């Protein structure tokens, strides 16, 4: 009976030592078995464009610029030539003239249509280096009216007439100029620029389903029939 009573405390001490060892291995000081948690940090980088970084504007492709304006039927852009934040594209087609479409890049808004014609003065564009679409030592540029647009089939329903602000968001007007009253007939909108150097021409915009309002041309003397209009309009001439 006495031998059996001595064995019980020994077993108890062994069990206590085993439990103590297990507690130390899983205690707060152990880090080997701690599982990883959270999502791994991404390794991709993001390029940030600053407002004054004109070199960050990659030269756009012809197809990119053709999304910003509606060229007359049968015409496309050829080679695009870029200098800093300016891009010039000459239209190609049976009725193409000698002018270019000029686009300007600004941070936050990207590429926007600026003007159409020839004889731009590089100084007026803020360029101190030669560019193929402007003249370095000429008088202030004057814009050349566009050639008569080709026939375009109008939409079957008339869209809402756009606001001045909406049209100004589609093009970049020369400094100091704004659009005045917008006049609409069916899917066409004409807006005359206002400012110290404004001429007698209008900016013409066309609406197509799926793409909305796009710049079409700049000038005067449009023929309403060429625009597919059978009713008088203030921005074109009717027979």
């Amino acid at each position: 009976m006495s031998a059996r009573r001595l064995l019980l405390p020994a077993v108890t001490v062994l069990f206590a030592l085993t439990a103590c060892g297990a507690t130390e291995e899983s205690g707060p000081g152990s880090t080997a078995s701690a599982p990883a948690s959270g999502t791994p940090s991404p390794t991709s980088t993001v390029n940030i464009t600053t407002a004054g970084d004109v070199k960050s504007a990659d030269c756009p492709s012809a197809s990119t610029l053709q999304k910003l304006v509606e060229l007359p039927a049968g015409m496309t852009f050829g080679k695009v030539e870029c200098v800093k934040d300016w891009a010039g594209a000459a239209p190609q087609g049976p009725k193409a003239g000698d002018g270019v479409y000029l686009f300007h890049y600004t941070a936050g808004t990207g590429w926007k249509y600026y003007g159409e014609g020839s004889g731009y003065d590089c100084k007026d564009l803020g360029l101190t280096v030669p560019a193929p679409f402007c003249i370095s030592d000429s008088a202030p540029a004057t814009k050349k009216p566009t050639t008569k647009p080709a026939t375009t089939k109008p939409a079957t329903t008339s869209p809402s007439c756009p606001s001045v602000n909406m049209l100004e968001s589609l093009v970049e007007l020369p400094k100091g100029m704004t659009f005045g009253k917008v006049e609409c007939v069916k899917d066409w909108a004409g807006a005359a620029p206002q400012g110290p150097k404004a001429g007698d021409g209008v900016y013409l915009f066309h609406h197509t389903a799926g793409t909305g309002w796009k710049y079409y041309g700049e000038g005067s003397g449009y023929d309403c029939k060429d625009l597919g209009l059978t009713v008088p309009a203030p921005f074109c001439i009717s027979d």
Side-chain angles (χ1 to χ4, degrees):
M1 294 297 291
S2 61
R4 187 173 183 181
R5 285 197 298 269
L6 290 175
L7 179 60
L8 291 175
V11 174
T12 303
V13 171
L14 181 60
F15 177 80
L17 290 174
T18 302
C20 182
T23 303
E24 290 178 355
E25 290 178 359
S26 60
S30 177
T31 59
S33 60
S37 61
T39 303
S41 300
T43 57
S44 60
T45 59
V46 178
N47 294 324
I48 300 176
T49 301
T50 59
D53 184 13
V54 297
K55 294 181 179 180
S56 63
D58 294 332
C59 193
S61 64
S63 59
T64 295
L65 296 182
Q66 286 177 190
K67 295 178 182 178
L68 303 179
V69 298
E70 182 176 331
L71 293 173
M75 296 179 65
T76 59
F77 282 141
K79 181 180 179 181
V80 179
E81 298 177 293
C82 298
V83 176
K84 291 191 175 180
D85 50 354
W86 293 93
Q92 295 181 340
K95 297 183 180 181
D98 58 357
V100 298
Y101 282 68
L102 194 59
F103 300 84
H104 189 218
Y105 178 92
T106 54
T109 58
W111 289 101
K112 291 175 66 176
Y113 167 84
Y114 180 82
E116 179 186 353
S118 60
Y120 289 104
D121 192 328
C122 294
K123 291 182 180 178
D124 290 341
L125 304 179
L127 295 176
T128 57
V129 295
F133 43 74
C134 62
I135 303 171
S136 299
D137 55 356
S138 68
T142 56
K143 295 185 178 180
K144 179 181 177 181
T146 60
T147 57
K148 186 180 293 185
T151 302
T152 304
K153 185 178 179 180
T156 54
T157 58
S158 300
S160 299
C161 194
S163 65
V164 169
N165 292 337
M166 190 272 181
L167 294 183
E168 289 181 353
S169 70
L170 300 179
V171 299
E172 182 172 333
L173 292 172
K175 186 176 181 180
M177 295 179 64
T178 58
F179 281 142
K181 182 181 179 181
V182 179
E183 298 178 293
C184 298
V185 176
K186 293 189 176 181
D187 50 355
W188 294 94
Q194 296 180 340
K197 296 183 179 180
D200 57 355
V202 298
Y203 281 68
L204 193 60
F205 299 85
H206 188 218
H207 184 279
T208 55
T211 58
W213 288 102
K214 293 175 66 177
Y215 167 84
Y216 183 81
E218 178 186 352
S220 59
Y222 291 106
D223 191 326
C224 293
K225 290 183 179 179
D226 290 339
L227 303 180
L229 295 176
T230 57
V231 294
F235 44 75
C236 60
I237 302 172
S238 301
D239 293 338

